[in-house]
Amino acid sequence: MARLKFLCDADRCIECNACVTACKNENEVPWGINRRRVVTINDGKPGERSISMACMHCTDAPCKAVCPVDCFYNTADGIVLHSKDLCIGCGYCFYACPFGAPQYPRVGNFGSRGKMDKCTYCAGGPEPDLTAAEYQKYGANRIAEGKLPLCAEMCSTKSLLAGDGEIIAAIYKERVLKRGYGSGAWGWKTAYRETIDV
């Protein structure tokens, strides 16, 4: 089965925030929560880059490892989801995630901030697919409809890619080779196997 992944090509991102807006609108994400955000590195300086960030649906997710109630789980596609019914809002996942994906829905004292919210890769949650209960808690389940996450579909420069990790790796490898970076691109050997043919 395909392992679904996100990839943001920093050389293509123009910081338009269409991905952020699409996510908020499709999933009716409450004010103050951003399941996806655009981060700019070296803002206003040579080498400035923007990257669309959200849950990266890690193979060995640190949020899942630290959760004391085991509310995080992986789907067959490799998507990392969580159950808001099991979540106790302790925030361990918030501190463990290097991407800042899990977030509290409200600001306040500990215990009053609610249960965690995070990117679902538009795959809903543990409730039955495409039900009102699933949508209310987790947002749209575009994966059950045979669609990709709306954030990637709305990206006008195709900087944000979503789908089968092998296909995304091949697309990115082709882009990198066309730019002349070759295997010298940062993190290439860590992130992508050299056996992928272009």
Side-chain angles (χ1 to χ4, degrees):
M1 175 157 278
R3 179 156 181 78
L4 299 178
K5 288 290 186 181
F6 280 124
L7 183 135
C8 183
D9 186 344
D11 286 350
R12 285 184 169 217
C13 183
I14 59 172
E15 197 181 357
C16 68
N17 282 289
C19 55
V20 176
T21 303
C23 177
K24 285 189 91 60
N25 288 341
E26 182 74 358
N27 297 300
E28 295 183 15
V29 178
W31 181 257
I33 295 177
N34 286 316
R35 290 182 178 179
R36 177 163 292 282
R37 63 197 176 285
V38 176
V39 176
T40 302
I41 302 166
N42 296 327
D43 196 10
K45 299 176 185 171
E48 175 182 310
R49 292 283 188 269
S50 294
I51 303 168
S52 180
M53 297 287 299
C55 177
M56 297 305 283
H57 302 279
C58 304
T59 303
D60 188 17
C63 58
K64 185 178 175 184
V66 300
C67 181
V69 294
D70 292 325
C71 75
F72 288 89
Y73 63 97
N74 292 84
T75 66
D77 298 336
I79 300 169
V80 178
L81 297 176
H82 76 298
S83 169
K84 289 187 179 182
D85 292 333
L86 294 176
C87 178
I88 58 173
C90 67
Y92 285 5
C93 56
F94 171 78
Y95 292 107
C97 178
F99 305 105
Q103 298 174 43
Y104 286 106
R106 293 182 293 280
V107 176
N109 296 330
F110 186 78
S112 68
R113 294 179 275 191
K115 298 181 179 194
M116 304 309 283
D117 189 81
K118 67 177 276 304
C119 164
T120 64
Y121 203 92
C122 287
E127 275 77 12
D129 287 346
L130 306 174
T131 61
E134 180 187 49
Y135 184 81
Q136 184 180 4
K137 287 183 188 176
Y138 305 100
N141 190 339
R142 293 174 56 86
I143 300 298
E145 296 172 353
K147 301 175 184 176
L148 288 174
L150 191 61
C151 57
E153 286 194 7
M154 293 303 291
C155 183
S156 61
T157 62
K158 298 303 171 212
S159 166
L160 182 60
L161 301 174
D164 183 332
E166 294 292 322
I167 294 170
I168 289 174
I171 291 169
Y172 187 64
K173 182 173 184 176
E174 184 178 338
R175 289 180 183 181
V176 168
L177 291 173
K178 282 183 180 176
R179 293 176 191 150
Y181 298 158
S183 62
W186 175 84
W188 184 268
K189 290 183 182 176
T190 303
Y192 302 102
R193 294 178 291 232
E194 288 296 325
T195 58
I196 296 172
D197 296 321
V198 176

